[in-house]
Amino acid sequence: MINNFNKSESGKILKQITFYILNAIKNFIFVLIFIAVIFVTVLYFDSGIRKFAFRSLSELPSISIHFLIRPAIISANFKSAAIWLQRELDIIRWIRSEKSSLLPGLIKNTGAVMRRAAKPKDLVILKPFLTQLAKAAPDMYLTRVWLARALADTDPKAALKELSEAVKLSGTDPESYRLAISIAIRHGLRTELQSWCNHYQTNQFGGIRPYETNNQFMATGIRRMALEVRTQNKEIVFYGHKGLSLNALKTYAFGFDRQLKISRLFLKLGLSPGVILKIDGLSLFNQGREVHIPSSDMVILSKNGFHVRDTLLVAGEDGDALEFVLRGRTFPLADSAAIRMSAVRAGLTASNMCHSVKTREQ
Amino acid sequence: MIRWRYFLLIVLAMIAGLLFGAHDSIHQMWRAGFTGLIQTIRPISLPDYHLDKALGRTRALFTTSDHVGMPQLNVFLSEHLQRTLTSKLPENAKKWQKGYMVYPDGELRRIKLRHRGDNPVNWMGEKKSWRFKTRKKRLIDRTRTFNLIAPQAPDLITNHLAYWIGGRAGVLGPKSRLVEFILNGEYQGIFTEVEHLDESFLRKRNIMPVNIYKGEQYNSERIIYVNNYLFDNPYLWKKLSLFNSWPKSDRSDLSSFLQLLRNAETDNAAFDALTKMARFEDWARFSAYSTLVQSWHNSSVHNQRIISDPWRGIIQPVLHDTVANYLSLENRVVVDGSSHALTDLYSRDPVFLLQKYRFLYDFLKAGILNSAVGYIEAQIPGMLSAYHRDSLPFELLHLNGIPNQIRNAGQLKALWSKLIANIRKTRVFLKAEMEKPPDVTWSQNSGTVGLVIGGTSAAASIRLVLAGGAPIPTKLAWDKNGDGSLSSDELSLPFTIKGRHLTLDATFLANRVLRCLNCVNANISGGLIVTVPTQFNLVADIPLKLDSLHAVNSLTGRETTFPLSKRVGITPGLRNRPVTKLAVKTTQVWSGKISIQKTRVVDSPVIIKAGTIIEIAPSKSLIFRRKVLIEGTPEAPIKVRRRNPDLPWGLIALQGRRADGSRISHLDARGGSGGMVNGIFYTGMLSIHDAADIRIQTLRLADNTKYDDLLHIIYGDNIVINGCKLENALSDAIDVDISQVSIRRCRITNSGNDAIDFMSSKATIEDSYLANSKDKGISVGEASAVLVFNSVLAGNQIGLEAKDGSRALVANVAFQGNTKQINAYKKNWRYAKGGAIQVDKSLFSGAENQIIADKHSRISLSDSGAALPLQIQGKNISTDSATMTVKGNNAGVKTYQPEISKRLAAEGLSGYPEQRGPVQ
C-alpha cells in the first residue's frame, strides 16, 4: 500500500517536475525568441542603434581584455598579460585576417603593457606576441617600434630593421630614433649610429596622427604651421604654411585675405616634440610696406614648450602654439606677415655621439 | 492561457523567421562595414533599402525594354564562385576567381575576376563593382585588366563623364566607356568600364615602363596612427607599375619630389627645380581640367595617381576617379580650387595661373563642355533603356546613405536635364569669368602709381597715358618694398612708348589666398582659394603722372579703361609678381680646354668651338638643357676625355624640349659611363632625352663602363645620325626607346650586347656596318618599325631580330657569318604578335644561314641569295621563287616588294633594285 502510494505519489511528483521543467524550458525559449526578435527587429529597423551596437561589439574584446589584463599590468605579471593579449589577437584574426577594426583596441592594451614593461626579461616574455602583432599589423608604426624594443638586446640588426620600417611610416617621431641610437651605441654599431643620427636630424617625412581624435593639423610632423590672427573685432582667422624646414634659417610668409587689425597673434605649430625654434623676428606688411619687429621687441609665450635661452623647445605631443606679445606697442594694420626663424631637432644623445647638422642661412 | 501562449509562440516564431531572413543583410553589414578599419559605411535604413529593391524589381517587371543602347559585357561566373567571393567579406571580395567573358570578337574566353573598391558599398550589395583580368595571351586592345564600376551617382554617368571630358582635355588618363553588364545572363545595369592603370597603360601611350604611384590613404587603405597626407610622406604611396632599373621598395624619386615641394614653399631655387619636375604644363592642364569638371576629388589623401618618369625626370598627374561634379553645384561654380600641397603652392604663382587659365579658356573655346552635353544627350536613350531593365539602378547610392529620389523615368530625365543645365551653366560662368575685363583700379601718390588688381582675370599690356607735359620715364619698376623709390633689386618692368602712351610688357594677377574652411573644427589643413585685391606700386626714374590707365584681358586681348580710385589692395604674396617675358639667355661659347670638376647642368644655349677638349672628372656629368651647337671639324674634332685616366666620367646629355634643334658635329668621346642627375636616369654615355630635331654628324664614341649604352636616345623625335663610329660598347652601342631616328653611315663594332637596339621606335638604318656584337646586330622590339637598307651585318650572335609586334623591312643587306642570321619571336605577353621581317634583295653568307621564326612571327624572303643553303626553322617563313632559283648578286626581279618600295620612297631613297646585297 505504502509502496503503491509511494509509486503513485512519486510518479505524480515526477510528472509535476517534468511539467515544470518543460514549462520552464518553454518559457525560456519563449523569452529567448522574444529577445532575439526584439534584438533583430531593433537592428533591422533602427540604423542608429545598429551602428552603435556594431561599434560596441567591435570594442567589446578590447574592453574586456583591458579589465582582465589590468591586474597583470599592476603586478607586472607579463606572462599573464602576454596570454591575454595573444587571446585578443586570436579573436581579432578569427573575425578578420587583416586591417581589423578591433586592432586599435589591442594596440591600446598592448601600449598599456609596454609602458609597464621595463626589464629585458619582460620583453622576452612579450616577444612572441609582439612578433605576431607586427605580422598582423605590419603598417602600424607602434607594432614595429614595440617589436624593435623586444629585439633590441637579442637581435640588434633585426631590431634596427624593424625601426627602419617604422621611420618609413613616421619619419619624424623621435621614439624610433631614440631606440635605434640606443641600440647602435650599446652594440657598438658605429656606421648605423651615424646613419640614424643623421636621419633623425634631417628626416621630415610623415608624422603621427591620433586615431581616436583629430588634432588641429590632422597630424603632427615637421612641416605644418599656421598663423592664427585674432582681430580687434573678435574674429579668428588662420593662414596655413606647409614648408617648415629643418636646419635652415628661413622666412615663412603668411598672406592674409584682407587688411587685419590684429589684437592677438599666434603661431600654431603642428610639430613633433623635440624641435628647437629660434625666432629672429616678425615682419608685418601693409600695401607692400614692412614693419619689422625684432625678437627683442616682443615676448613669445608658448602653450606647452620650454624656452631655453633665446630658443624654444617644442615639447607637446600635439605641437605647440606660440603667442607674440609686443612690448609697449600694438600691432600695426597688416595684410601679410613673415616670420624669420630656424628649426633644428634637439639631440637624442650628447653631441659627441651624434654630429650636429649645421644651419644654413637662406 | 496555454493556448494563447502557443499561439503567441507561433506568431513570434513566424516573425522571428521573417526577421532572421534579414539577418543576412545585418550580418553582411557587420562584416563589410564594421570589422574593417576606417570604413565609411553609413547607417542606412534597411526597410527602406529592401522596399526600394522590391519596388525596383516590380518596376523592372512592368517596364522591360528590349532596346540595347550601349555595348554589352557578358561575363560568366559560377554560382559557387560568386558565393565564395561574398562568403567572408571583405577578404574574399578581392580574391581572383575563374570565369568567362564574351570577347569583342564574340568568342567566349577565360578570364579572372574579383570585386574592386576600398569602399564596402562596392561589393556588399547585390550590385557590385568588378575587376577583370584576361589571360596574357588574350589581351583586349593590348589591355589586360579592366575595372567595371557600379554607378554611385543617380545620373549613372558622372563617373564616366569625368574620364570622357579628361580625354578631350588631353589629360593623361585611362580609357573609359559605359557598358551594360550581364552576369550569367542576368542583367546588371549600366556600369563604367575603366582601363586599369598599370604598365600596359604606359606602353599604350608611348611612355616607358616607369613608376606609377597610387596615393590612397582613405577608407580601408588608410594607415592609422600616422600622418596620412600623401604629399608629406613617400612611403604612403604604392607602386602600380615599376621602373625596373630600381628596386621595388625604392622611393627616391618621390622623396626628391616631396622634399622639393616642401622647400619650394620658402626657397626660389627649390621652386624652380620643382617646376622642372612637376611641370606647369602638366599640372596646369590638370588643374584647368579640375575646374572644368568642378571636382577636386584627387586630394591630399585620396584618388592620387602620378607617373614618375626617371627618363624625363618628371612627375605627372593621372586622372583617376575624379567624378564630374555638376549635379551638386548649387549655384556656385568655382574657378580656383586646390586639394593638395602642390596645387596650393602652384596656385600662388602667377605664371602657373596664367597657364592654367589659358588651358581652361582653350577647353571652353574648343567646346568640350558643349560636346559633353551632346554626348550625354546621345547616351540618354541607352541609359533610359538600361534603367528600365535594371531592377537596382541606385543600390550603391542607397548603401552610401543617400536617399533615392529617382522613382521613375520622368524623375531620371529631369535629373539629366539638371545635369545638362548645370554643365551649360558651368560653361557660361567659366567663359564669362575668363573673358571678364580685369578688375583694376589705380591711384597716384607722390609720383608713384598704385595698381590694385582684383578678380580672376589677369591684367596685361597695361597702358599708362601720361599727363600732358609730364616727362617720359626711361625706367620703370615694381616698387616691391613700397619705399617710393627705385631700388636696384626691384623688378624692372619692360615697356614701350608711343607718344604719351606707355605700355607695360607685363601681366598682373591678384593674390590667391588659401582660406581655411574648417577652422571651426580646428582643422587647418585645406581650404578654398580666394582672390584678393592686390596692390602693385609702380615707380619710375621720374615722378609719374597719369591721365588715364587701360589694360587688356590676357586671354581675350580686349582693352578696358579703368578708373582712378581710393581702393587699396594687399601686399603681393611671396610668389606673386608682375609676369614679364623671360629674358633671352646669353649663349655661352666654349673653346680651348674645358674642365668639368662638378656635374654641370647648363641652362643656357652653348656653342662649343672646333678643337675644344673637355675633360670631365670621375662620375661627373654635363647636361645641356638648351640648344647646343657642337661645332667640331674633321681637322679639329671636339674631344671628351677622362680627367682621371683610371676612372670614368659620367655622361653628356641633351635633356628636354628646350634642347631641340641641337647640332653635334665631329664629337669624339670615350671613357664615360652614365648616372643619375637631378632625378633623371641616364644609361648612355651620350644621352638624348625628350628632345627633337637633333642632327649628329660624324660621331665617335667608345669604351664606356658601368652603364649600358654608348648612345641612348629616348623620347626623341627626328634624330638624324649621319656618320658614326662606335666601338666597344659595354652593352648596346645605340639604344633607341620610343623615338624616331635615322642612322646613316655608321660603323659599330664589338658591342657587349646589341649594336642597335630599338624599342617602340620608328627608324631607318642606311649604309651602315654592324659587326661582332655579342648579341644582335639589330634588335627590333616592342612595336618598332625599322627599315634596314644597304648595310652589312657581320659576325654578330644574331644578325637581325624582330619581336613583339615589330616590323623590320630589309633591303640590300648582307648577312655575313652571324651565328643566327635572322630571328623572329614573341617575347613579351603584352604584345599580341611576334616579329615580322620582310627581306628583299639581300645576301646571306656564313657557315650556318639560320633563319628562325616562332609561331607568332613571320619572315618572308624575296629575291635574296645565299652562298650555302638557308636553314629555315619555322612554319611562317616564306621564300619566293627568285630566292630559290636565281643565283648570284644580280637581282632576279628588278623591283622591290611593294611595302619596301613604299617605305624607301617615303624615306627619299631610290635603292638598288637591280642588285642583291649592299653597294658599299
Side-chain angles (χ1 to χ4, degrees), chain A residues 44 50 101 209 223 242 335, chain B residues 34-35 44 231 344 571:
Chain A
Y44 184 75
R50 186 169 65 238
S101 60
R209 177 175 177 175
R223 179 172 191 175
K242 299 189 186 88
D335 60 28
Chain B
F34 292 89
T35 62
I44 65 162
F231 289 82
D344 288 354
T571 308

Side-chain angles (χ1 to χ4, degrees), chain B residues 469-743:
Chain B
I472 293 181
T474 56
K475 195 175 177 200
L476 205 142
W478 167 38
D479 184 20
K480 192 179 175 188
N481 59 17
D483 64 357
S485 62
L486 270 176
S487 315
S488 58
D489 60 340
E490 283 173 341
L491 179 68
S492 187
L493 301 174
F495 60 88
T496 52
I497 290 196
K498 206 171 178 185
R500 306 207 65 75
H501 297 240
L502 186 154
T503 306
L504 296 177
D505 196 3
T507 305
F508 296 77
L509 272 160
N511 274 0
R512 265 63 175 170
V513 177
L514 192 70
R515 187 180 275 165
C516 178
L517 282 181
N518 299 317
C519 298
V520 180
N521 300 328
N523 165 17
I524 316 171
S525 61
L528 179 73
I529 292 172
V530 291
T531 57
V532 186
T534 306
Q535 180 143 353
F536 293 90
N537 293 322
L538 305 180
V539 63
D541 53 348
I542 47 107
L544 288 169
K545 199 170 175 210
L546 307 188
D547 267 349
S548 62
L549 186 142
H550 318 261
V552 304
N553 175 314
S554 66
L555 295 171
T556 61
R558 280 197 287 270
E559 193 182 69
T560 312
T561 303
F562 296 101
L564 188 69
S565 163
K566 286 184 179 167
R567 180 170 74 150
V568 293
I570 67 163
T571 308
L574 185 69
R575 297 225 58 80
N576 198 359
R577 64 203 181 278
V579 179
T580 55
K581 273 187 192 151
L582 288 175
V584 178
K585 301 232 177 185
T586 319
T587 303
Q588 298 181 28
V589 180
W590 295 6
S591 61
K593 196 169 178 180
I594 305 282
S595 180
I596 306 293
Q597 298 286 1
K598 285 182 180 174
T599 291
R600 197 161 158 192
V601 179
V602 188
D603 212 354
S604 56
V606 176
I607 297 174
I608 304 177
K609 293 286 185 190
T612 303
I613 295 174
I614 301 171
E615 282 186 351
I616 308 182
S619 306
K620 305 303 174 206
S621 302
L622 191 51
I623 313 293
F624 296 102
R625 281 192 159 268
R626 302 264 174 164
K627 188 171 170 177
V628 59
L629 303 177
I630 298 177
E631 297 178 337
T633 60
E635 302 75 31
I638 285 144
K639 292 180 180 171
V640 182
R641 297 289 182 264
R642 290 178 177 182
R643 179 141 183 85
N644 179 337
D646 299 326
L647 296 170
W649 46 275
L651 62 115
I652 297 176
L654 308 184
Q655 178 70 48
R657 303 314 294 236
R658 286 183 175 171
D660 285 3
S662 292
R663 301 283 179 270
I664 296 175
S665 199
H666 294 276
L667 173 71
D668 179 351
R670 53 190 65 217
S673 54
M676 186 89 184
V677 181
N678 292 344
I680 305 177
F681 189 52
Y682 298 96
T683 56
M685 185 172 91
L686 174 63
S687 293
I688 298 170
H689 286 209
D690 198 18
D693 305 322
I694 310 287
R695 298 285 175 275
I696 299 172
Q697 181 88 32
T698 317
L699 175 72
R700 285 195 72 164
L701 300 174
D703 307 325
N704 67 319
T705 57
K706 286 188 182 174
Y707 288 78
D708 289 354
D709 317 317
L710 281 172
L711 172 62
H712 184 207
I713 300 166
I714 183 164
Y715 301 129
D717 189 20
N718 190 20
I719 313 290
V720 178
I721 303 169
N722 196 352
C724 77
K725 189 173 180 188
L726 310 186
E727 295 164 307
N728 309 327
L730 180 69
S731 184
D732 297 338
I734 302 178
D735 188 5
V736 182
D737 296 316
I738 311 184
S739 297
Q740 195 261 310
V741 179
S742 180
I743 298 168

Side-chain angles (χ1 to χ4, degrees), chain A residues 92-93 95-101 103 136 138, chain B residues 35-37 90-91:
Chain A
I92 292 170
R93 285 196 294 210
I95 293 172
R96 184 171 164 152
S97 60
E98 56 181 26
K99 293 226 162 202
S100 168
S101 60
L103 272 168
Chain B
T35 62
L37 272 169
E91 288 98 321

Side-chain angles (χ1 to χ4, degrees), chain B residues 850-865:
Chain B
Q850 288 188 55
I851 295 174
I852 306 164
D854 72 359
K855 60 182 178 179
H856 305 286
S857 308
R858 59 193 165 80
I859 299 173
S860 70
L861 303 172
S862 55
D863 199 4
S864 297

